[in-house]
Amino acid sequence: MMLKSKDLLGLKDISAEEIEHILETAKTMKYILTTNNKKTPHLQGKSVVTLFYENSTRTRLSFELASKYMSSSSANVSASSSSVSKGETLIDTAKTIDMMGTDVIILRHPMSGAPHLIAKNVNASVINAGDGMNEHPTQALLDMFTIYEKKGSLKGLKVAIIGDIMHSRVARSNIWGMTKLGAEVSVAGPSTLMPVGIEKTGVKVFSTIQEALIDADVVMGLRIQLERQKKGLFPTAREYSKFFGLDNKRLKFAKKDALVLHPGPVNRGLELSTHVVDGDQSCINEQVTNGVAVRMAVLYLLTRRNSGENIN
Amino acid sequence: MKTLIKGGFVIDPKSGKNGLFDIIIDKGKIVEIGNDLEFTTGDIVDVTGKYVIPGLVDAHCHLREPGFEYKEDIETGTQSAAVGGFTSIACMPNTNPVIDNESVVKYIINRAKQDGFVNVYPIGSITKGQAGEELSEIGELKFAGAVAVSDDGKPVMKASIMKKALQYASMFDITVISHCEDLDIAEDGYMNEGYQSTVMGLKGIPSAAEEVMVARDLILAEYTNAPIHIAHVSTELSVDLIRNAKKRGVKVTCETCPHYFVLTEDACEGFNTLAKVNPPLRTQKDVDAIIEGLKDGTIDIIATDHAPHHIDEKNVEFASAANGMVGFETALPLVITYLYKTGVLTLEQIVEKMCVNPSKILGLNKGSLEVGKAADITIIDVDEDIIVDTAKFKSKSKNSPFNGYKLKGAIYYTIVNGKFIVREKVLL
């Protein structure tokens, strides 16, 4: 099957079938990562450019390696060292990249809707690598893939997302994706960091993490940005970790075999205790590997739309 | 040359006229209104089947001149207004330089005399440079020709300044128009705080930002016993606060704009910057309350808040996009479609809200069809189907979320001071 759109802008607008297809494809891609010779021709002759307006370790490297493992020509544009610093607009920057024969543009941008704006204006496929507070679809896909691998399916699973939901694009993408695949999603965090109307998206909202953790199969911690503290959204890091930090004691509320996920980077001791990060239930390292696999799958499926090849 | 407007249905609440009447115009004024009028030679315009109303008066628009002529200027703005049936418009002072002194008022009045297609009335600023710190020379502004004062575009954040402005302006019998938005609560949000902003990951502006300042200004107006006009009311609680204040005898009037009773925050879906406006589009509950407020008279006027922006200011990321939409050419058709055809308001009430009341609030001798008054007349067909085509707008800017909308209501003639500015739907 083919992905319906030339772009991957978010999980809000793709179907459950498309999500499942990406996860299935990622399984094959993950296998490639475990072999000795991490080189396949899937993206040979294709060109992939990452355009990042925000800093990143995992996502950018993950995309870059994913493209290189599949033999594409890849390049990076970092906004701070590009003509963006001379005032060039987003659309002009994207068009310039597009006109050089680029097949895929991967955009990370601090403003929600930025990838949607360029997708309308370029021929290349656009992958959203994180836009403001809106979505981070490949992160949610790798989170779901991690759960898929360990639990077999998302249907009926209790997933608790803990932390700064209001500012989290990871939370949003996961809410869209997981509810589409039949999971029961709960969110918990300080009320000042809980977005208005979130319950209308089908999630349960709790103001203590203990309640959200009860019988959870999956617990996802979100990174707390300390700048939010400066804006008065929570009084201190100490207060946050005291009431909303996930440590082994709190983790006991969840099921014994509950998975602990985090998109990284982790503020050890703040949203997750060091013991939880390094504990047996933590899938954080695996998530990183899965990130490359999922991004390989997405790149493959998007570039394949034009060539009509079949993975089998 | 005299003009006879024949066969039209005249609606003029001020004089109580509501029926078939002919009108004779001579030397820019209305000289006769009646039936079987004597008319020998001149221009005969047959408007059978159409409604003849006073020229529309817009109490809130942005003409962008001086300083932002790339978005709009007095010439193109007034052309757009004329096409929309407006014969008198009051322009906000957030220009560059700000209308905070006599010379800018006079500049605008002169430019409008030279190149304007309709009557233009400048609104002066409440504070110098709209900086919110010191009062403008409000007396001088009034005597130079300003019809109101406002810091619109921005709120007057300092309560003490607003209190003094109300006291001072009332002394000169000039209305203070308040843009109510508590910037501390709004905190650089981009759209209404609610379900849509959550789904789109956009920082939201709580409705409380508007309501807190509406409450503040109503209390200050009551305390100083000064008149106040609240601009662009958009929320249910704002309407309720104003309703209550009127019951208490506060000298408050207020306005809303078509987008606040036609659209909700859903119009922003897909990061549609054409729906980005300040105050932001709200929820259905607010739309219903605005309509109720129009019906029960809490909301006195309908203004356009015509806010032109260049395509480069809208064709950007949602957070970066400028706030505002053009409104002259869609206002009356939207009002006819969403308020008249739905039975919310009669045509008489619409004329009150778009002609009579705005004239009253701004102290203009406009808004009615009376012998001896300037012939500012708008003639419309309320049953004609139109499809909004922003590419054909006379405004320099085309930033409207209504492109493609099928509406009822065509403006056939716009007459300003007896001169036909729009004839048979065409701008002359």
Side-chain angles (χ1 to χ4, degrees), chain B residues 13 16 73 95 108 141 158 172 184 192 247 298 304 312 394 428:
Chain B
D73 57 39
T95 45
I108 291 175
L141 287 171
K158 288 194 169 156
F172 289 103
D184 284 339
N192 187 46
K247 282 198 189 110
T298 303
T304 64
D312 289 342
K394 290 286 175 251
L428 297 176

Side-chain angles (χ1 to χ4, degrees), chain A residues 12 109 111-112 117 133 172 196, chain B residues 198-199 201 315-317 320:
Chain A
K12 194 180 339 168
H109 195 280
M111 292 180 189
S112 307
L117 183 64
M133 307 188 320
R172 280 178 178 79
V196 171
Chain B
T198 288
V199 162
N315 197 20
V316 288
E317 310 92 329
S320 307

Side-chain angles (χ1 to χ4, degrees), chain B residues 101-400:
Chain B
N101 65 78
E102 186 176 2
S103 50
V104 188
V105 175
K106 294 225 158 103
Y107 173 79
I108 291 175
I109 291 174
N110 285 329
R111 288 285 302 118
K113 273 205 193 101
Q114 286 166 359
D115 292 337
F117 283 64
V118 305
N119 301 313
V120 177
Y121 300 96
I123 295 174
S125 64
I126 297 172
T127 61
K128 289 189 181 125
Q130 293 193 315
E133 298 288 338
E134 294 178 12
L135 294 182
S136 310
E137 293 174 296
I138 294 176
E140 181 178 283
L141 287 171
K142 164 138 191 198
F143 283 93
V147 296
V149 288
S150 181
D151 272 2
D152 183 68
K154 297 158 102 174
V156 174
M157 279 300 286
K158 288 194 169 156
S160 60
I161 297 286
M162 180 53 98
K163 176 166 162 282
K164 294 185 180 91
L166 289 167
Q167 287 173 309
Y168 194 76
S170 67
M171 177 174 67
F172 289 103
D173 207 18
I174 185 170
T175 308
V176 171
I177 300 178
S178 182
H179 164 117
C180 294
E181 181 192 0
D182 187 317
L183 295 174
D184 284 339
I185 297 177
E187 239 184 339
D188 65 67
Y190 307 114
M191 64 176 286
N192 187 46
E193 180 172 64
Y195 176 69
Q196 276 298 344
S197 68
T198 288
V199 162
M200 287 163 65
L202 287 166
K203 189 141 199 288
I205 302 170
S207 55
E210 172 176 312
E211 294 146 1
V212 163
M213 201 171 272
V214 168
R216 180 197 84 170
D217 288 351
L218 291 171
I219 292 168
L220 291 175
E222 181 168 341
Y223 190 82
T224 57
N225 196 31
I228 188 168
H229 179 77
I230 311 279
H232 43 51
V233 171
S234 74
T235 85
E236 186 243 333
L237 180 54
S238 292
V239 175
D240 211 34
L241 288 165
I242 293 166
R243 187 180 282 123
N244 188 51
K246 282 188 171 180
K247 282 198 189 110
R248 292 173 66 89
V250 178
K251 296 178 186 140
V252 55
T253 56
C254 69
E255 79 198 22
T256 193
C257 310
H259 38 280
Y260 299 118
F261 53 79
V262 176
L263 299 173
T264 64
E265 57 186 16
D266 295 348
C268 299
E269 230 177 297
F271 301 98
N272 182 14
T273 56
L274 295 174
K276 188 179 180 193
V277 62
N278 193 15
L281 300 175
R282 307 283 188 185
T283 66
Q284 190 58 48
K285 175 187 91 173
D286 299 300
V287 169
D288 295 340
I290 297 284
I291 291 177
E292 191 53 46
L294 284 163
K295 233 163 119 170
D296 76 5
T298 303
I299 301 178
D300 306 87
I301 74 174
I302 296 169
T304 64
D305 198 0
H306 176 87
H309 289 294
H310 194 273
I311 187 174
D312 289 342
E313 296 168 314
K314 285 289 195 178
N315 197 20
V316 288
E317 310 92 329
F318 197 93
S320 307
N323 278 312
M325 45 181 91
V326 289
F328 285 139
E329 296 173 65
T330 47
L332 189 58
L334 287 168
V335 168
I336 291 171
T337 311
Y338 289 85
L339 297 179
Y340 172 60
K341 292 292 182 185
T342 53
V344 172
L345 295 178
T346 62
L347 285 175
E348 240 180 334
Q349 290 170 312
I350 289 171
V351 171
E352 269 168 10
K353 295 201 196 293
M354 295 183 80
C355 311
V356 179
N357 295 344
S359 307
K360 221 174 11 185
I361 289 163
L362 299 174
L364 304 176
N365 186 18
K366 299 283 176 195
S368 66
L369 301 169
E370 290 170 80
V371 171
K373 275 182 110 152
D376 288 349
I377 306 172
T378 298
I379 302 170
I380 59 180
D381 182 328
V382 302
D383 298 306
E384 186 164 315
D385 291 312
I386 66 162
I387 299 179
V388 178
D389 183 0
T390 54
K392 296 211 172 88
F393 278 179
K394 290 286 175 251
S395 168
K396 261 188 207 171
S397 299
K398 321 292 184 201
N399 52 310
S400 167

Side-chain angles (χ1 to χ4, degrees), chain A residues 136-195:
Chain A
H136 191 355
T138 57
Q139 177 67 45
L141 287 167
L142 77 88
D143 292 336
M144 288 189 284
F145 182 75
T146 307
I147 299 169
Y148 214 59
E149 265 202 327
K150 296 243 157 41
K151 301 280 181 183
S153 155
L154 272 145
K155 225 189 168 86
L157 280 195
K158 281 196 158 79
V159 180
I161 306 179
I162 316 281
D164 180 359
I165 311 291
M166 177 178 275
H167 299 98
S168 175
R169 52 195 177 208
V170 171
R172 280 178 178 79
S173 284
N174 271 301
I175 289 171
W176 309 130
M178 292 185 183
T179 50
K180 273 190 179 128
L181 295 192
E184 250 181 64
V185 181
S186 303
V187 293
S191 359
T192 45
L193 295 174
M194 193 58 73

Side-chain angles (χ1 to χ4, degrees), chain A:
Chain A
M1 80 162 269
M2 300 262 258
L3 294 180
K4 295 189 191 120
S5 164
K6 76 166 169 75
D7 312 295
L8 178 63
L9 302 176
L11 298 190
K12 194 180 339 168
D13 305 308
I14 76 172
S15 65
E17 292 75 40
E18 287 170 286
I19 295 177
E20 280 169 335
H21 186 51
I22 295 172
L23 299 181
E24 273 302 312
T25 310
K27 251 200 226 156
T28 316
M29 297 305 184
K30 184 162 181 184
Y31 174 71
I32 296 168
L33 287 180
T34 62
T35 61
N36 243 334
N37 190 8
K38 292 184 284 289
K39 198 79 169 174
T40 73
H42 293 102
L43 252 56
Q44 190 152 29
K46 299 291 179 191
S47 118
V48 177
V49 174
T50 57
L51 173 58
F52 273 48
Y53 282 69
E54 282 180 341
N55 290 332
S56 165
T57 305
R58 282 156 196 73
T59 309
R60 201 174 108 169
L61 189 54
S62 195
F63 268 115
E64 199 181 331
L65 288 177
S67 358
K68 289 194 154 89
Y69 290 154
M70 296 192 295
S71 309
S72 78
S73 312
S74 67
N76 287 318
V77 177
S78 175
S80 50
S81 50
S82 74
S83 292
V84 171
S85 63
K86 297 181 201 165
E88 185 164 23
T89 68
L90 176 62
I91 291 180
D92 285 343
T93 305
K95 278 202 172 127
T96 304
I97 296 172
D98 194 40
M99 288 288 106
M100 293 190 196
T102 307
D103 297 286
V104 185
I105 299 175
I106 301 165
L107 177 69
R108 169 170 282 196
H109 195 280
M111 292 180 189
S112 307
H116 306 65
L117 183 64
I118 68 167
K120 279 190 253 202
N121 286 281
V122 300
N123 293 313
S125 291
V126 174
I127 300 178
N128 180 5
D131 66 325
M133 307 188 320
N134 183 37
E135 289 222 49
H136 191 355
T138 57
Q139 177 67 45
L141 287 167
L142 77 88
D143 292 336
M144 288 189 284
F145 182 75
T146 307
I147 299 169
Y148 214 59
E149 265 202 327
K150 296 243 157 41
K151 301 280 181 183
S153 155
L154 272 145
K155 225 189 168 86
L157 280 195
K158 281 196 158 79
V159 180
I161 306 179
I162 316 281
D164 180 359
I165 311 291
M166 177 178 275
H167 299 98
S168 175
R169 52 195 177 208
V170 171
R172 280 178 178 79
S173 284
N174 271 301
I175 289 171
W176 309 130
M178 292 185 183
T179 50
K180 273 190 179 128
L181 295 192
E184 250 181 64
V185 181
S186 303
V187 293
S191 359
T192 45
L193 295 174
M194 193 58 73
V196 171
I198 191 77
E199 65 284 349
K200 296 198 184 113
T201 63
V203 306
K204 286 207 191 78
V205 184
F206 296 103
S207 50
T208 69
I209 71 165
Q210 290 87 332
E211 290 172 278
L213 287 171
I214 294 172
D215 284 340
D217 298 288
V218 179
V219 183
M220 185 180 298
L222 298 173
R223 193 171 72 87
I224 283 290
Q225 280 180 272
L226 291 170
E227 306 88 85
R228 310 289 179 208
Q229 181 269 328
K230 291 210 174 59
K231 283 202 147 186
L233 288 163
F234 58 90
T236 56
R238 180 170 160 266
E239 171 112 330
Y240 183 87
S241 74
K242 189 165 169 192
F243 291 95
F244 293 95
L246 182 64
D247 55 15
N248 277 327
K249 208 163 140 211
R250 291 207 167 117
L251 191 52
K252 287 205 169 69
F253 281 88
K255 292 208 174 87
K256 258 208 306 229
D257 58 349
L259 307 176
V260 175
L261 270 60
H262 189 292
V266 180
N267 289 314
R268 286 172 179 265
L270 182 54
E271 61 257 12
L272 302 182
S273 72
T274 255
H275 301 291
V276 167
V277 172
D278 299 329
D280 294 328
Q281 292 170 262
S282 164
C283 302
I284 293 173
N285 293 327
E286 193 102 16
Q287 281 175 277
V288 177
T289 314
N290 293 339
V292 184
V294 159
R295 287 166 181 133
M296 285 168 73
V298 169
L299 282 167
Y300 172 72
L301 290 172
L302 286 177
T303 51
R304 176 175 148 263
R305 284 180 87 255
N306 293 323
S307 30
E309 296 154 27
N310 210 307
I311 189 175
N312 300 313

